[in-house]
């Protein structure tokens, strides 16, 4: 075990328990004796546990591990990206509306991803009017994946995707009935955003 990794562990203990004794630190590290803690501190050039504690608590010790936030307010929030909102148009294409939907960048969506707003209640209770579906045309098409498809005379619809052998079967997500006609798959649904309020 390297000196740096042991000192980082001791520093974490001190930050979580500023008044921790050397005996407490030794026990937390799994050492039978306090002299093991002193060994690592002396090896790193610290003359005493008090000197190392002061270095840690004043920030002079060069920490290599991220310190957890002291308060919830210090927790870094997710980064946000703007995803374009689109609508399905014939013959199975999307047209951007000019609107955007704020999405966390932690959600992995390809560059061709978009959001589509549902207008009908035919997929209730799974989806409701006003829901935004985040669609990724480059998303993996696994069996039973939810997809958005364009259906002539209907517009955008949500289906369950199945590909047994060399065929593609699209089923209604609630009833399980086959989708009529020849829907054109626009992409896989990777997230749902449900706005609340007016």
């Amino acid at each position: 075990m390297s000196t740096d990794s042991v000192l980082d562990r001791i520093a974490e203990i001190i930050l979580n328990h500023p008044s921790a004794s050397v005996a407490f630190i030794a026990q937390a590290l799994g050492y039978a004796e306090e002299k093991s803690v002193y060994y690592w501190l002396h090896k790193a050039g610290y003359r005493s546990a008090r000197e190392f504690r002061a270095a840690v608590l004043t920030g002079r010790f060069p920490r290599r591990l991220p310190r957890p936030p002291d308060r919830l307010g210090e927790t870094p929030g997710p980064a946000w990206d703007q995803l374009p909102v689109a609508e399905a148009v014939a013959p199975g294409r999307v047209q951007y509306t000019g609107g955007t939907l704020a999405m966390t960048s932690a959600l992995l969506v390809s560059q061709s991803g978009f959001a589509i707003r549902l207008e009908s209640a035919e997929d209730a209770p799974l989806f409701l009017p006003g829901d935004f579906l985040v669609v990724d045309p480059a998303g993996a098409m696994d069996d039973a994946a939810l997809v958005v498809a364009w259906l002539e005379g209907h517009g955008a619809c949500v289906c369950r995707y199945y590909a047994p052998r060399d065929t593609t079967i699209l089923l209604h997500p609630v009833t399980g009935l086959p989708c009529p006609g020849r829907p054109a798959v626009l992409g896989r649904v990777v997230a749902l955003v449900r706005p609340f309020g007016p």
Side-chain angles (χ1 to χ4, degrees), residues 74-145:
E74 293 180 10
T75 304
W80 292 87
D81 291 328
Q82 298 296 321
L83 197 64
V85 176
E87 57 187 7
V89 296
R93 296 180 295 111
V94 293
Q95 177 177 306
Y96 297 108
T97 64
T100 58
L101 181 69
M103 290 296 306
T104 175
S105 59
L107 180 66
L108 299 177
V109 183
S110 71
Q111 292 290 338
S112 56
F114 60 91
I116 195 160
R117 188 173 190 269
L118 295 179
E119 302 295 339
S120 97
E122 70 182 59
D123 299 323
L126 188 59
F127 301 115
L128 302 175
D131 285 352
F132 285 92
L133 300 181
V134 177
V135 182
D136 190 351
M141 294 294 195
D142 303 320
D143 274 351

Side-chain angles (χ1 to χ4, degrees), residues 7-93:
L7 290 183
D8 278 336
R9 290 174 62 198
I10 295 172
E12 288 302 310
I13 294 168
I14 291 171
L15 287 168
N16 290 323
H17 307 279
S19 61
S21 65
V22 175
F24 178 88
I25 294 170
Q27 182 181 8
L29 293 174
Y31 296 142
E33 298 179 357
E34 296 176 20
K35 65 181 180 180
S36 298
V37 175
Y38 287 114
Y39 165 80
W40 290 107
L41 294 178
H42 290 221
K43 186 174 181 182
Y46 292 96
R47 292 172 292 187
S48 67
R50 181 179 299 204
E51 181 184 357
F52 182 72
R53 183 189 317 275
V56 169
L57 295 177
T58 58
R60 291 193 315 267
F61 174 68
R63 300 183 68 256
R64 285 158 289 279
L65 296 176
R67 182 178 178 184
D70 292 330
R71 296 182 305 276
L72 186 60
E74 293 180 10
T75 304
W80 292 87
D81 291 328
Q82 298 296 321
L83 197 64
V85 176
E87 57 187 7
V89 296
R93 296 180 295 111

